[in-house]
């Protein structure tokens, strides 16, 4: 931090009291020597100086601004010292240069320091030296002018000691001239106190000069010189109270004032030279040595200053040239091309980088117009921008313009570029243009945009692009739009069997097939996973969209895909939806998706057109799924048991557990909620609850000496669920039910889809002792190979076969064949759906051992089974 000198007194009245005492003695001496006028002027000056000192010191102690307080203290101290010097001067009037003169000089220096401190201007050593040199030039010039005008006559008539008598006045003048530029360049808040300090310095300088001239002539100073100092000190006394607290720190003057102040010394020197030259030309007197020395010192300082300015100018020009060269080298090393041209586009200079970047030699470009190399579509905007820069060339700001355009390279290609044009380069009426080839960045940007809106596997537009495109088309209100959604049936098994890489290959093949059957104006995109979407503009012809959908279906299904050295046959489910008036794009896409889901629910390999009922069904399914989850939490489900009887003896051998749901007071049929439960995965916790409850009930019945078994249906999700086998084992252990009393039923489709994992899980159950049954036998795709791979204990004939017994010879023959097959394989055969007596007789005739159905016994609650158990036990007794 910069050290700062602070003047303090333990008692602020002490210096004032001392100055007053000295002033009183001086007054007496002035009265004796110079008469009443001199005495009155002295006492007025002393009184005003002391009043200013008191005012300044009081404001310093009360001020909350450290800078203002310090400046006021310095100014007050200077006023006290000056007043002491003025008071002592009559006592020391016999000396050429007395102690009083030294006090006056010290007071002037202190007041100058106070004005500088109060101004708030921080000055460097270099600036301070410049201010002192300028002050010396001003002082010397004013001295020379004063010499010619008046001082030479005083010199001729005076007694010896002219130089020493005039020295205090010249020093005060030097201090004043050095203080003025610092205060003027200070802050707004410090300006009043600083200007007041300059006023005091100026008046004291004038008063000192008048006093020195009077003393040299052995006379009294003029009356007007005695009035100046008191007035200036009174103004100084009022100045600190006009400074606003929390001062304004803005500069008190602008650059124009600073430039004007810099010219003042040179102007004064020029005037002094002219005045001195005129005097010397008309006078034959021999030049005084002191005047010659002063004039010579001024000339020497001017020569030195001119040399310093020339050196600085040369150094600055060198720095500018170096900076310009470094800027060009930096720009060209970074791949930029730097050129100079005028506002009409004529190239004056261009860097060597143009040959590396664009293939042109610099001499081919210089003298020509840059407009010849700019793409015609970009040219008008660039000409307008450069013309606007030329119109604003007189403004203070240098200005810059960012230009993006395409530039023709030597090979004829158009290169995207970014350029920055800057005017006022090196003071010339030209433009500095820095141009960068952004071909690589543009290619990368295009690639990023492509990847953002395209699928990396198929190369088709992705979902984001398709949604945006649909919004644009629908918002355009072009009549007739349709959305088509396509899902590959069975694609999941491809990933599971040959891997995801091969699955991606298949998707790429499918995309190529689909692209080949859509029209060029249609938008084909990969929606996600194994789903594709097409936006068709039908022009009001609905059949056009349906024809496109059927072509898409045929493209997928007609021939197998070749993946991993094998043929993979796939089909597709396709949904079509048409845009209606004021329909949002999201609703159109949702409707197409619903139609596709409907096609998939109906078995796939078909096209479904959206109907409003489909959306209502989808909403109901969502609501049903939410209700299912709530029903699980609130225990809204119940279990009914349908007996399985021995057809020969009518004895109940087992019961099949069937789930029932009462949503409030409404009965929900199983076919309405089991499908959604399977889709949402809620079938897993629901099946686990059925397993635990049914095992507990049947175990209780068996504990009552009733030999009865339990049959349960398994779902595909339940079999593939984690810890499935452990869940069955835990339910048996908790209920105490024997594993051999539990029969788990699966349908044939489960043995075909994901056969390896399904057979593995069922084999683990078989190892526990649980019996296995194939439900709805004869309706699926299972072959005899599965019966050999899987140790099945039972097959259950589907009700569709039993319903035709006695009426349809083909169904009767198929039923007989299944019964015989079961006997040959040593399996228990159970007929389902027995509802008529003739069906029962036919089954007994065929040798079917067990059956169930409404004719035998309807499903019943656990209480009904309890009654049936007691009846069975009494019959046995």
């Amino acid at each position: 931090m910069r050290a700062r000198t602070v003047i303090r007194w333990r008692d602020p009245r002490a210096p004032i009291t001392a100055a007053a005492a000295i002033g009183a003695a001086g007054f007496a001496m002035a009265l004796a020597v110079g008469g009443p006028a001199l005495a009155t002027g002295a006492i007025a000056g002393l009184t005003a100086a002391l009043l200013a000192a008191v005012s300044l010191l009081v404001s310093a102690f009360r001020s909350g601004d450290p800078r203002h307080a310090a400046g006021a203290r310095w100014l007050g101290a200077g006023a006290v010292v000056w007043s002491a010097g003025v008071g002592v001067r009559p006592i020391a009037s016999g000396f050429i240069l007395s102690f009083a003169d030294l006090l006056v000089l010290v007071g002037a220096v202190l007041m100058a320091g106070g004005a500088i401190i109060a101004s708030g201007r921080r000055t460097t050593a270099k600036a301070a030296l410049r201010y002192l040199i300028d002050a010396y030039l001003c002082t010397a010039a004013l001295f020379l002018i004063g010499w010619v005008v008046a001082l030479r006559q005083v010199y001729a008539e005076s007694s010896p000691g002219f130089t020493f008598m005039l020295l205090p006045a010249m020093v005060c003048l030097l201090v004043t001239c050095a203080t003025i530029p610092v205060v003027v360049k200070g802050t707004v808040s410090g300006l009043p106190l600083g200007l007041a300090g300059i006023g005091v310095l100026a008046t004291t300088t004038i008063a000192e000069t008048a006093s020195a001239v009077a003393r040299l002539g052995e006379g009294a100073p003029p009356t007007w010189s005695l009035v100046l100092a008191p007035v200036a000190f009174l103004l100084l006394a009022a100045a600190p109270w006009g400074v606003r607290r929390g001062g304004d720190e803005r500069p008190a003057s602008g650059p124009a004032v600073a430039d004007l102040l810099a010219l003042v010394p040179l102007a004064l020197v020029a005037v002094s030279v002219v005045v001195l030259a005129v005097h010397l030309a008309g006078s034959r007197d021999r030049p005084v040595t002191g005047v010659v020395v002063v004039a010579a010192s001024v000339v020497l300082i001017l020569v030195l200053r001119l040399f310093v300015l020339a050196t600085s100018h040369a150094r600055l020009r060198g720095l500018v040239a170096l900076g310009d060269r470094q800027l060009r080298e930096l720009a060209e090393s970074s791949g930029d091309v730097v050129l100079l041209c005028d506002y009409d586009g004529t190239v004056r200079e261009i860097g060597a980088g143009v040959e590396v970047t664009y293939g042109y030699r610099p001499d081919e470009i210089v003298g020509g117009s840059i407009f010849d190399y700019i793409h015609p579509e970009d040219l008008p905007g660039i000409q307008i921008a450069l013309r606007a820069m030329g119109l604003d060339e007189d403004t203070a700001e240098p200005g810059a313009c960012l230009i993006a355009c395409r530039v023709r390279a030597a090979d004829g290609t158009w290169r995207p570029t970014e350029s920055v044009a800057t005017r006022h380069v090196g003071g010339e009426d030209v433009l500095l243009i820095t141009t960068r080839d952004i071909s690589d960045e543009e290619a990368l940007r295009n690639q990023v945009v492509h990847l953002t809106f395209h699928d990396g596997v198929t190369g088709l537009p992705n979902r984001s692009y398709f949604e945006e495109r649909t919004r644009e088309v629908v918002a355009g209100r072009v009549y007739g739009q349709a959305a088509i959604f396509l899902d590959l049936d069975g694609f999941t098994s491809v990933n599971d069997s040959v891997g995801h890489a091969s699955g991606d290959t298949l998707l790429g093949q499918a995309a190529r097939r689909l692209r080949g059957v859509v029209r060029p104006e249609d938008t084909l995109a990969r929606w996600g996973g194994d789903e594709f979407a097409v936006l068709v503009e039908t022009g009001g012809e609905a059949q056009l969209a349906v024809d496109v959908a059927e072509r898409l279906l045929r493209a997928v299904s007609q021939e197998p895909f070749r993946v991993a050295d094998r043929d993979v046959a796939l089909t597709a489910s396709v949904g079509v939806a048409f845009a209606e008036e004021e329909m949002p794009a999201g609703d159109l896409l949702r409707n197409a998706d619903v139609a596709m889901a409907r096609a998939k629910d109906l078995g796939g390999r078909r096209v479904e057109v959206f109907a409003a009922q489909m959306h209502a069904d989808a909403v109901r399914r969502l609501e049903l799924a939410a209700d299912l989850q709530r029903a699980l939490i609130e225990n809204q489900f119940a279990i009914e048991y349908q007996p399985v009887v021995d057809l020969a003896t009518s004895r109940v051998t087992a019961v099949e557990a069937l789930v029932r749901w009462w949503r409030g007071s409404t009965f929900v049929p199983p076919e309405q909620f089991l499908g959604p439960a399977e889709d949402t995965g809620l079938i897993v916790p629901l099946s686990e609850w059925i397993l635990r409850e049914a095992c507990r009930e049947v175990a209780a019945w068996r504990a009552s000496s009733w030999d009865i078994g339990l049959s349960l249906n398994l779902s595909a999700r339940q079999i593939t669920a984690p810890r499935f086998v452990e869940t069955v084992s835990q339910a048996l252990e908790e209920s105490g039910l024997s594993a051999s009393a539990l029969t788990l039923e699966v349908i044939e489709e489960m043995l075909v889809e994901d056969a390896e994992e399904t057979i593995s899980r069922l084999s683990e159950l078989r190892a526990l002792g649980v019996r296995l049954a194939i439900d709805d036998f004869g309706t699926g795709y299972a072959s005899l190979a599965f019966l050999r791979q899987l140790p099945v204990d039972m097959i259950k004939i589907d009700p569709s076969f039993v319903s035709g017994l006695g009426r349809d010879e083909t169904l009767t023959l198929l039923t007989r064949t299944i019964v015989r097959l079961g006997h040959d394989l040593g399996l228990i055969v159970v007929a389902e759906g027995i509802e008529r007596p003739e069906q029962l007789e036919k089954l007994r005739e065929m040798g079917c051992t067990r059956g169930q159905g409404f004719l035998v016994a309807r499903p019943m609650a656990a209480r009904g089974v309890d009654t049936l158990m007691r009846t069975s036990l009494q019959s046995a007794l």
Side-chain angles (χ1 to χ4, degrees), residues 747-823:
I747 60 176
E748 291 183 79
E749 284 84 352
M750 296 182 190
L751 301 176
V752 177
E753 297 177 4
D754 204 2
E756 185 177 348
E757 183 177 0
T758 301
I759 292 177
S760 174
R761 291 290 183 91
L762 295 178
S763 297
E764 292 181 30
L765 290 175
R766 194 67 180 81
L768 292 177
V770 177
R771 296 188 175 189
L772 302 177
I774 298 179
D775 196 14
D776 300 336
F777 188 82
T779 60
Y781 307 97
S783 63
L784 295 179
F786 285 110
L787 294 177
R788 183 169 56 85
Q789 295 176 19
L790 185 65
V792 177
D793 300 282
M794 182 186 302
I795 58 175
K796 302 184 75 171
I797 303 174
D798 188 76
S800 61
F801 292 101
V802 176
S803 63
L805 293 179
R807 296 180 179 179
D808 189 310
E809 295 183 358
T810 301
L811 292 178
T812 302
L813 177 60
L814 289 174
T815 303
R816 189 184 303 278
T817 302
I818 293 173
V819 172
R820 186 178 302 159
L821 175 63
H823 290 167

Side-chain angles (χ1 to χ4, degrees), residues 431-624:
L431 290 171
L432 171 65
I433 300 179
T434 304
T435 301
R436 172 173 295 182
D437 183 358
I438 59 170
S439 299
D440 294 339
E441 291 89 336
E442 189 72 16
L444 181 60
R445 187 182 301 114
N446 294 335
Q447 183 179 3
V448 170
V449 171
H450 180 84
L451 292 176
T452 302
F453 293 102
H454 286 75
D455 175 55
V457 175
T458 62
L460 296 175
N462 59 14
R463 177 173 178 169
S464 299
Y465 179 89
F466 189 80
E467 289 177 334
E468 183 64 27
R469 174 61 180 162
T470 304
R471 281 193 290 268
E472 291 177 359
V473 173
V474 172
R477 301 301 175 195
V478 179
Y479 180 67
Q481 303 94 23
I484 302 174
F485 273 40
L486 179 146
D487 180 85
L488 299 177
D489 300 328
F491 178 77
T492 303
S493 61
V494 176
N495 281 337
D496 295 340
S497 59
V498 296
H500 289 274
S502 298
D504 291 345
T505 302
L506 190 149
L507 289 174
Q509 295 179 16
R512 288 191 290 274
R513 291 190 188 183
L514 299 178
R515 192 186 291 114
V517 298
V518 298
R519 302 175 305 167
E521 59 267 29
D522 298 335
T523 302
L524 170 64
R526 183 187 177 192
W527 185 255
D530 58 347
E531 296 182 12
F532 296 86
V534 183
L535 182 63
V536 180
E537 298 183 32
T538 63
E541 299 181 16
Q543 187 59 40
L544 179 63
V546 176
D547 292 343
V548 172
E550 291 177 346
R551 290 201 301 271
L552 294 171
L553 176 61
R554 289 194 297 270
V556 173
S557 308
Q558 273 186 345
E559 58 180 289
F561 294 90
R562 188 67 178 174
V563 179
D565 296 329
R566 67 179 70 181
D567 291 333
V568 177
L570 293 179
T571 59
S573 300
V574 185
V576 183
F578 295 95
E580 300 177 1
E581 187 175 358
E582 302 297 330
M583 173 182 284
D587 290 355
L588 174 63
L589 300 179
R590 179 204 63 199
N591 294 344
D593 192 25
V594 170
M596 181 192 71
R598 176 66 175 170
K600 203 168 189 67
D601 290 342
L602 295 176
R605 196 166 187 171
R606 61 188 300 140
V607 176
E608 284 290 322
V609 178
F610 175 80
Q613 183 62 31
M614 292 183 182
H615 181 239
D617 291 342
V619 172
R620 278 198 298 272
R621 287 173 72 89
L622 287 175
E623 294 175 349
L624 189 62

Side-chain angles (χ1 to χ4, degrees), residues 643-841:
V644 179
V645 302
D646 188 321
L647 297 183
T649 64
S650 298
R651 182 178 64 86
V652 177
T653 59
V655 290
E656 181 177 358
L658 304 173
V659 67
R660 297 291 184 259
W661 181 20
W662 290 87
R663 184 163 52 175
S665 59
T666 304
F667 175 73
V668 183
E671 59 270 16
Q672 291 187 12
F673 70 83
L674 288 179
E678 178 79 19
D679 295 339
T680 60
L682 292 174
I683 192 68
V684 175
L686 177 60
S687 299
E688 291 178 359
W689 176 81
I690 297 171
L691 175 64
R692 290 194 301 271
E693 291 295 314
C695 287
R696 183 179 58 79
E697 289 283 0
V698 174
W701 293 329
R702 288 177 64 86
S704 301
S705 302
W706 189 23
D707 186 14
I708 187 173
L710 171 64
S711 292
L712 286 173
N713 290 290
L714 296 178
S715 68
R717 278 185 176 266
Q718 188 178 8
I719 294 175
T720 57
R723 298 180 54 81
F724 166 61
V725 178
E726 289 84 349
T727 301
V728 174
S729 176
Q730 185 177 2
L732 292 173
E733 183 178 352
E734 291 176 354
S735 63
L737 182 65
S738 172
S740 61
L742 176 62
T743 302
L744 298 179
E745 303 175 8
V746 296
I747 60 176
E748 291 183 79
E749 284 84 352
M750 296 182 190
L751 301 176
V752 177
E753 297 177 4
D754 204 2
E756 185 177 348
E757 183 177 0
T758 301
I759 292 177
S760 174
R761 291 290 183 91
L762 295 178
S763 297
E764 292 181 30
L765 290 175
R766 194 67 180 81
L768 292 177
V770 177
R771 296 188 175 189
L772 302 177
I774 298 179
D775 196 14
D776 300 336
F777 188 82
T779 60
Y781 307 97
S783 63
L784 295 179
F786 285 110
L787 294 177
R788 183 169 56 85
Q789 295 176 19
L790 185 65
V792 177
D793 300 282
M794 182 186 302
I795 58 175
K796 302 184 75 171
I797 303 174
D798 188 76
S800 61
F801 292 101
V802 176
S803 63
L805 293 179
R807 296 180 179 179
D808 189 310
E809 295 183 358
T810 301
L811 292 178
T812 302
L813 177 60
L814 289 174
T815 303
R816 189 184 303 278
T817 302
I818 293 173
V819 172
R820 186 178 302 159
L821 175 63
H823 290 167
D824 293 342
L825 295 175
L827 305 177
I828 299 173
V829 181
V830 180
E832 296 181 290
I834 303 175
E835 298 179 354
R836 303 192 310 274
E838 63 268 23
Q839 295 172 342
L840 178 59
E841 291 302 323

